[in-house]
Amino acid sequence: MFPSKASNFFTFLVTIFSVTRCHADLLNIMPPNFQQAMGLAHEIWHNPQVMEETGQQMIQSFQDATAKLQEDHVGIQTVFSAFNSETLSTIKTAIRGTSSRHNISAQCENDTLIFVEGLALRQTWALRMFDATGKPPSGIMNGDIHWLGKYHQCINVTAEVNVTQIHVDNRTHLEYPFTGQHCNLIYSLAASGGNSSTPAMGNMFGLLQSLVVGMCVPSSCSALDIETVFNATLAEIAYQMNKTGNKTATGVIVQCIEQYTDWDGGAIAVMCVTSLLLLLVVIATAYDVITKQLQLMKIKMMESPHAKMYTSDNGLLQGHRVDEHTPLISDGQHTQETVNVKVRQEHGMAAKILLSFSLYTNGAKILNTTQTAGTLQCIHGVRFLSLSWVILGHTYVFAISIIGNFGDFGALIKRWTFQAIVNATFSVDSFFVMSGLLVTYLTLREMKKNEGKLNWPMYYFHRYWRLTPPYMLLIMVYVPTFKYWASGPLWPAEPDPFCKDNWWTNLLYINNVVNPDKMCLLWSWYLSNDMQFFVISPLIIIPLYRSGILGTVVLLVVMLGSFIATGVISTVNDIGTSLAAQAGANGANGFDLIYIKPWCRIGPYLAGMLFGYLLYKTECKQKLHWSLVLVGWAVAAISALAVLYGLYDQFQGYPLSNGVAAFYNTVSRTVWGLALGWVIYACCTGSGGFVNTILSWEGFVPLSRLSYCAYLVHPIIMMLFYLSTETVLFFSDLMVVYLFLANLVAAYGAAFLVSLVFEAPMLGMEKAIFRRGK
């Protein structure tokens, strides 16, 4: 007697193998015909005009070969004898019986009978539907449990039925009653039962422990029809095998992939708004180019060729910086930008706001590699490399449910080189460090300049305005329109259904603490944490400005509170050390309890604030003794390597105790923050050596400016690719490198467009309205 879950799974496999056994026999007729097809491939490639004719010939050849091999090949008789009149009658009776008992729609019942009869008559369209259904492959024990079938082959099938006109002229004609529809049969292998999640994130992560079989069924059948029939059939088989218990449903869930052709009202509204925005960008760009060129001609006429058109002696172009508060460069020493400043001085507020949408100006700002005095140049390299690390980790994570060789990961995670991938979550802590460092350093400099005063409302408004418009505009475009972008066997009906009801938590940056289990844009938890840290930062910055000792005490008290909270939560709930192993006791979720909570993640931000204060006090000019520099680099390197590779033995079969795991969860991210903080501090004070040379490369400057938008869009790009694929992926080192580079380039390419249209105009509007930069 099988246990309940194992019995159901075994029954499910038996059913799938039984249904597809005759399909395997049917394929025995195809190799000779494939040889003929390969012989035609060269001609088709070089002469596309014969493609249609060749296609018809191949279909006819297939049918002829089928008929011939049916006569000569003994094995093929098994295939066709499976659909003799007796079997056909049995199948029809079973379908009608299931329909009457379970209220299956009449149209679905009728079309399914037509499909079964088409198989019995060996009609091409029915064979193509059957062929498009997923089959058990090799490698099931290695994790290949997603048998998706052939999605596009299925939906392109149209049934062809000969119908005789009774009481008219008894002529026979063709009718096309239905087309193919792709549905996924999902059977959860987890102990908790079936998985019914339908969003994109649910498909990507929720299907990891589910057997998925793609079925090609008549388009008139609903998911409920298919689910009811299949569960009833499996229950009957299980009952006949076990001869005990009740004939109950076995937990198979069916999801049918909808084909979206007509845009709904929300998508149309989004396209109208986006079109208006793009029109505004075009108008602004044209206006900018025309006015700028005319002004440039005037300047050339009024001034000598060697006039001061390349620099400015009125102070307007001096003293600006590229920093956390000014992500796009301020007016630099550049010919076109000099003209731009003079032109804007002659325009009113409306014209300045219009010019904020100019592709010409915004593109020049984003791509400019100029770094003014006072800029922490190494930050650009750290920011780009950190986001690259994020994208590398997500290249694995977002594909985890559609990998056909998941069993190989057991050996993969045992490699010491893979520890940097397992612990890629520390890349997010790098952003917390940079954010805390820049906020502290720049705010303290501003307070010193203004004798301790600061416009605190503008302090908060600028941060909110800096992050929110591109964030909300992206949600506006992504959520209503994503389902129209592509199609495939895993394509979701809604990319993120929680956004409809919980978008306001994103707007207020509280989605990591309010309804975190229904988060809109799962990766946006980082933005909420960063904003929450920024909101409370003055509680530490003001004491630091008044007294270094007082501010440091406040900072350390907050850090100690974070340590206590993280340690207690981790210990009580028995939370593991890695994100993949953070399923704690009693179903506790480490992601919700620790990973996204601000009181557990503030440590690296505080470490950044500490080093930001040191840079402010030393004005980036402190020269340490070479021995102290050596010790600092050694401690930072050893600490960072211990954090990343210290868990190696755990993946070799030596798990950590609850207490040790809690200690690691408590201090590891802060230790990483302190190590990275030293790297930035050393580079900014002249002790960085070749590390500073690499991180301060001017090529990182535009990439750094695009990092925010790249973080927003890169998961969407990955979902677009992974969820539209028609087959599972088989990961290897080379495959991952290829996908990572593709994801990286695509993310930054998309980020450039989003920044041009969404981010840069909003920053330009703020500058025009509040005259920031003067």
Side-chain angles (χ1 to χ4, degrees):
M1 186 68 60
F2 293 104
S4 176
K5 199 68 181 176
S7 177
N8 288 343
F9 176 55
F10 179 74
T11 302
F12 189 46
L13 282 180
V14 167
T15 304
I16 296 299
F17 274 100
S18 299
V19 170
T20 57
R21 181 189 62 183
C22 61
H23 180 269
D25 292 333
L26 179 62
L27 291 181
N28 290 333
I29 69 172
M30 298 185 69
N33 202 51
F34 280 167
Q35 295 177 6
Q36 178 184 2
M38 292 301 294
L40 294 171
H42 183 77
E43 180 182 0
I44 294 175
W45 178 260
H46 292 283
N47 188 5
Q49 295 180 353
V50 305
M51 183 174 298
E52 181 176 357
E53 179 182 353
T54 303
Q56 297 297 328
Q57 293 176 355
M58 290 178 63
I59 292 175
Q60 185 61 46
S61 298
F62 175 83
Q63 294 173 342
D64 293 344
T66 301
K68 185 177 186 303
L69 287 175
Q70 183 182 357
E71 298 174 359
D72 301 335
H73 193 280
V74 176
I76 200 65
Q77 300 298 329
T78 304
V79 178
F80 296 117
S81 63
F83 293 102
N84 55 34
S85 58
E86 182 179 353
T87 302
L88 179 60
S89 177
T90 302
I91 293 175
K92 289 182 176 181
T93 301
I95 293 174
R96 291 192 180 101
T98 302
S99 176
S100 62
R101 291 194 305 269
H102 298 281
N103 196 29
I104 306 301
S105 69
Q107 189 63 49
C108 176
E109 174 190 351
N110 182 66
D111 291 346
T112 303
L113 293 174
I114 293 175
F115 170 51
V116 172
E117 188 167 357
L119 284 175
L121 296 176
R122 303 182 293 283
Q123 294 178 342
T124 302
W125 66 266
L127 294 176
R128 287 181 61 81
M129 284 185 64
F130 191 51
D131 180 52
T133 295
K135 317 297 187 304
S138 302
I140 295 176
M141 297 185 68
N142 201 36
D144 193 359
I145 57 174
H146 295 162
W147 314 332
L148 303 181
K150 296 299 179 183
Y151 171 79
H152 285 96
Q153 176 178 322
C154 174
I155 65 174
N156 288 328
V157 172
T158 301
E160 299 179 355
V161 181
N162 290 318
V163 177
T164 302
Q165 295 279 356
I166 306 297
H167 304 305
V168 181
D169 52 9
N170 289 333
R171 290 184 180 181
T172 300
H173 69 283
L174 283 176
E175 284 191 357
Y176 309 96
F178 60 87
T179 60
Q181 176 186 212
H182 183 96
C183 296
N184 290 321
L185 276 64
I186 303 172
Y187 184 81
S188 175
L189 306 180
S192 59
N195 186 332
S196 60
S197 58
T198 57
M201 299 302 291
N203 277 339
M204 300 186 71
F205 299 114
L207 298 183
L208 180 60
Q209 294 181 290
S210 298
L211 176 65
V212 181
V213 180
M215 302 288 288
C216 190
V217 299
S219 56
S220 57
C221 294
S222 67
L224 181 60
D225 290 336
I226 304 300
E227 183 176 314
T228 302
V229 170
F230 208 85
N231 275 318
T233 303
L234 258 64
E236 177 68 27
I237 295 176
Y239 177 79
Q240 294 298 329
M241 290 174 61
N242 296 320
K243 296 299 183 181
T244 183
N246 298 321
K247 300 179 182 180
T248 57
T250 54
V252 173
I253 294 171
V254 176
Q255 296 175 359
C256 293
I257 308 302
E258 297 184 41
Q259 300 178 52
Y260 299 99
T261 55
D262 298 328
W263 287 45
D264 59 26
I268 294 174
V270 167
M271 291 308 299
C272 290
V273 173
T274 305
S275 299
L276 291 175
L277 183 60
L278 293 175
L279 179 61
L280 181 60
V281 168
V282 172
I283 295 173
T285 304
Y287 179 74
D288 190 13
V289 171
I290 293 173
T291 56
K292 188 170 295 185
Q293 294 303 319
L294 292 177
Q295 186 67 15
L296 180 60
M297 292 177 60
K298 180 190 289 188
I299 294 175
K300 288 183 176 180
M301 292 175 61
M302 297 178 61
E303 300 181 4
S304 65
H306 303 288
K308 302 175 183 179
M309 59 183 296
Y310 296 93
T311 59
S312 174
D313 56 4
N314 59 9
L316 287 177
L317 304 182
Q318 306 298 328
H320 292 273
R321 59 176 179 253
V322 180
D323 52 41
E324 185 74 2
H325 292 278
T326 312
L328 299 178
I329 65 170
S330 52
D331 300 326
Q333 298 150 345
H334 188 273
T335 303
Q336 299 298 331
E337 196 60 29
T338 302
V339 175
N340 187 49
V341 170
K342 294 183 177 182
V343 170
R344 293 191 180 199
Q345 290 174 346
E346 301 176 4
H347 286 289
M349 179 70 68
K352 291 179 181 179
I353 294 176
L354 176 63
L355 289 172
S356 299
F357 290 85
S358 170
L359 294 178
Y360 184 92
T361 298
N362 292 332
K365 287 182 178 181
I366 294 172
L367 299 176
N368 195 324
T369 59
T370 302
Q371 300 187 69
T372 59
T375 301
L376 306 181
Q377 299 179 3
C378 65
I379 288 290
H380 298 299
V382 175
R383 185 178 286 130
F384 169 73
L385 295 177
S386 297
L387 186 63
S388 299
W389 195 8
V390 171
I391 293 176
L392 176 60
H394 282 171
T395 297
Y396 279 97
V397 171
F398 278 74
I400 201 72
S401 283
I402 59 169
I403 296 176
N405 57 333
F406 186 76
D408 292 339
F409 273 74
L412 188 62
I413 62 176
K414 292 183 178 181
R415 291 162 32 179
W416 71 269
T417 53
F418 199 72
Q419 299 308 300
I421 306 299
V422 174
N423 293 308
T425 57
F426 287 98
S427 58
V428 181
D429 296 291
S430 299
F431 282 99
F432 287 142
V433 173
M434 288 183 284
S435 183
L437 186 148
L438 287 170
V439 165
T440 305
Y441 173 69
L442 297 172
T443 304
L444 289 173
R445 287 184 62 187
E446 195 71 19
M447 292 177 68
K448 181 179 180 180
K449 179 181 177 181
N450 296 287
E451 300 180 351
K453 298 179 181 179
L454 195 67
N455 188 340
W456 293 108
M458 282 301 303
Y459 173 84
Y460 288 112
F461 174 80
H462 173 72
R463 180 70 173 185
Y464 188 83
W465 188 258
R466 158 78 174 91
L467 298 179
T468 308
Y471 183 21
M472 292 296 108
L473 287 169
L474 183 69
I475 293 178
M476 179 194 73
V477 173
Y478 160 65
V479 175
T481 66
F482 184 78
K483 61 186 178 183
Y484 302 104
W485 294 5
S487 62
L490 293 177
W491 195 249
E494 291 182 275
D496 205 326
F498 301 132
C499 287
K500 288 184 177 180
D501 298 324
N502 291 284
W503 61 269
W504 61 273
T505 60
N506 296 67
L507 183 65
L508 298 178
Y509 294 94
I510 57 174
N511 57 336
N512 60 329
V513 292
V514 177
N515 300 327
D517 56 331
K518 298 179 180 180
M519 189 182 301
C520 172
L521 270 62
L522 191 61
W523 59 98
S524 64
W525 68 267
Y526 158 75
L527 302 178
S528 297
N529 275 270
D530 191 63
M531 179 63 78
Q532 290 157 9
F533 300 155
F534 181 84
V535 168
I536 67 171
S537 63
L539 300 179
I540 300 175
I541 293 175
I542 294 176
L544 281 173
Y545 179 79
R546 302 299 179 187
S547 169
I549 296 177
L550 175 61
T552 303
V553 170
V554 174
L555 186 149
L556 292 178
V557 168
V558 176
M559 184 179 292
L560 178 61
S562 175
F563 285 172
I564 294 174
T566 306
V568 170
I569 294 173
S570 181
T571 302
V572 171
N573 295 282
D574 194 12
I575 303 297
T577 54
S578 66
L579 183 60
Q582 284 191 340
N586 302 319
N589 187 340
F591 181 82
D592 289 337
L593 293 176
I594 292 180
Y595 190 75
I596 65 174
K597 291 299 186 282
W599 44 85
C600 297
R601 298 303 298 266
I602 197 173
Y605 193 90
L606 296 173
M609 295 186 74
L610 180 61
F611 281 100
Y613 174 72
L614 293 176
L615 288 174
Y616 159 73
K617 292 297 291 185
T618 60
E619 297 182 347
C620 300
K621 297 178 181 179
Q622 184 177 24
K623 296 295 182 180
L624 298 176
H625 190 269
W626 67 267
S627 60
L628 293 178
V629 173
L630 184 61
V631 170
W633 277 105
V635 172
I638 292 172
S639 301
L641 291 174
V643 167
L644 289 184
Y645 297 95
L647 300 179
Y648 176 72
D649 285 345
Q650 176 178 315
F651 295 97
Q652 309 307 311
Y654 303 97
L656 302 179
S657 65
N658 184 28
V660 175
F663 176 77
Y664 181 87
N665 290 335
T666 300
V667 303
S668 59
R669 300 189 183 279
T670 303
V671 170
W672 174 263
L674 291 170
L676 180 60
W678 163 260
V679 172
I680 298 173
Y681 177 80
C683 290
C684 292
T685 56
S687 303
F690 73 93
V691 175
N692 182 56
T693 301
I694 295 173
L695 295 178
S696 300
W697 177 52
E698 63 181 13
F700 287 136
V701 176
L703 296 174
S704 174
R705 295 194 189 105
L706 294 172
S707 293
Y708 173 58
C709 289
Y711 180 82
L712 287 177
V713 302
H714 82 273
I716 299 175
I717 291 173
M718 291 184 185
M719 287 190 292
L720 177 63
F721 172 73
Y722 291 140
L723 293 178
S724 64
T725 185
E726 194 162 316
T727 59
V728 295
L729 302 177
F730 289 86
F731 266 20
S732 64
D733 291 339
L734 186 60
M735 169 69 82
V736 172
V737 170
Y738 189 86
L739 288 175
F740 162 66
L741 293 176
N743 289 333
L744 184 67
V745 173
Y748 271 93
F752 181 65
L753 297 178
V754 172
S755 183
L756 279 177
V757 179
F758 290 168
E759 181 186 32
M762 301 300 113
L763 297 174
M765 286 177 60
E766 183 200 10
K767 183 176 179 180
I769 295 173
F770 296 100
R771 299 185 178 182
R772 290 180 61 89
K774 281 196 174 185

